[in-house]
Amino acid sequence: MASTIPSKLYAGIEAGGTKFNCVIGTDPRTILRRTKIATTTPEETLAAVKDWFVQQSLELGALSALGIACFGPLDLKPSSLRYGYITATPKAHWSNTEIAGYFQRHFGIPVGFDTDVNGSALGEHLYGAAKDIDDFVYVTIGTGVGAGVFVNGRPLTGMVHPELGHIRLPRDAAADSFNGSCAFHGDCLEGLVSGPALEARWNCSAASLPQEHPAWDLEAHYLALMCVNIAMSYSPQRIILGGGVMDQSHLFTAIRAKFAQLMSGYMLPDMALEEFIVAPGLTGFSGEVGALALAMNAE
Ligand code: ADP
Ligand code: ZN
């Protein structure tokens, strides 16, 4: 009698500053259950996430592995006593919070743990805009600015992990008097281009700024400077720009044009810029796809 082998079940958590997006799937593209749990305090949120997975597992079966793509900064050094923790974060209540170990102890299954942007980058690498490309950078420009840098098909880590959102860019104070919104650095990249930075600078919601507003020319200027620094630093084959602010799709054309100007003919990529600076292939889903891929990689 033919028997079917039941598919393994993988759990994924895209842990963000506003919500924890939790999914269960048989692979990164086949999601059986999903829910969103608000990010309040670690005690409340982690317990609610754990309880949801316990409940689903009672109905669906045992979970094989869990992947967590988490807001940071994180301790990702396996040898560190604080591996799997969120370290010093501006997010109230969440500094020095153990994440990976909390779930590992409870479920006793392998747990993959990485930054939210590395999770999204992994999703894009497997199924999205970086499919078949091993060297690329995924940047999200939203509430904050973060980047996953992939080199030889793997996320780049180091002492911590790249924090590209906080690089410093030249700002001409005569042309741009906004001092920036980053709590740590003022006018770092995130302090100049994030959604909250746009809102503080122009005193209205970023989404309501019309396409012809000078906000977007300045935004494209800073994002083009960022792309130059990324191209010069990592020599990627592609730069993927995602996040809520990039819903302004007209920015892509402006960023590519300013990028070409700033590069001044130096080290321009072989391919057309439309293929070098691109939108995500999995808009809105790369995080949960990446979290499930982290689970499968951890097994
Ligand atoms: P998060 O960073 O919290 O994961 P998003 O990537 O969706 O979430 O980013 C949210 C930010 O993006 C908000 O600060 C908002 O101002 C900005 N944003 C959302 N939609 C738009 C839009 N259509 N145009 C410009 N900015 C937007
Ligand atoms: Zn900063």
Side-chain angles (χ1 to χ4, degrees), residues 16-37:
T18 316
K19 59 187 183 311
F20 277 44
N21 186 18
C22 306
V23 291
I24 295 178
T26 50
D27 68 65
R29 302 283 268 163
T30 312
I31 293 180
L32 306 179
R33 299 282 167 90
R34 65 155 55 81
T35 195
K36 292 184 195 314
I37 290 167

Side-chain angles (χ1 to χ4, degrees), residues 72-293:
L74 307 177
D75 188 333
L76 295 176
K77 273 231 175 317
S79 60
S80 164
L81 285 175
R82 300 225 152 209
Y83 170 80
Y85 276 61
I86 295 174
T87 58
T89 172
K91 177 82 188 160
H93 314 300
W94 286 81
S95 284
N96 289 315
T97 299
E98 187 187 28
I99 305 290
Y102 175 93
F103 292 102
Q104 209 283 327
R105 275 195 303 282
H106 189 84
F107 291 105
I109 55 176
V111 174
F113 185 65
D114 213 328
T115 60
D116 45 5
V117 277
N118 276 347
S120 293
L122 180 60
E124 289 293 329
H125 185 39
L126 293 173
Y127 303 104
K131 211 164 169 266
D132 307 323
I133 288 187
D134 278 345
D135 303 296
F136 68 96
V137 178
Y138 170 91
V139 190
T140 177
I141 302 119
T143 307
V145 176
V149 179
F150 268 54
V151 178
N152 293 329
R154 302 195 50 78
L156 186 67
T157 57
M159 183 178 67
V160 187
H161 43 75
E163 278 287 300
L164 249 161
H166 298 272
I167 59 173
R168 314 310 292 258
L169 299 174
R171 175 172 69 93
D172 176 358
D176 176 15
S177 61
F178 180 62
N179 288 323
S181 65
C182 175
F184 292 90
H185 317 111
D187 66 350
C188 67
L189 171 63
E190 179 173 297
L192 290 171
V193 305
S194 65
L198 281 164
E199 285 161 26
R201 185 203 291 276
W202 301 106
N203 223 359
C204 65
S205 85
S208 69
L209 288 162
Q211 188 174 332
E212 59 283 359
H213 194 283
W216 299 121
D217 192 60
L218 193 59
E219 184 78 359
H221 167 70
Y222 288 127
L223 290 174
L225 282 169
M226 173 194 78
C227 288
V228 169
N229 290 349
I230 289 173
M232 299 300 194
S233 302
Y234 304 112
S235 190
Q237 293 160 288
R238 186 159 291 164
I239 300 173
I240 305 170
L241 304 180
V245 172
M246 293 310 299
D247 284 356
Q248 302 283 330
S249 55
H250 55 90
L251 277 174
F252 282 97
T253 316
I255 293 167
R256 289 180 193 122
K258 287 175 188 291
F259 173 80
Q261 274 170 17
L262 288 164
M263 292 292 273
S264 304
Y266 191 79
M267 205 190 87
L268 277 175
D270 291 338
M271 64 179 85
L273 288 181
E274 291 74 33
E275 292 172 51
F276 184 65
I277 297 173
V278 305
L282 305 174
T283 301
F285 294 97
S286 51
E288 63 185 47
V289 169
L292 287 173

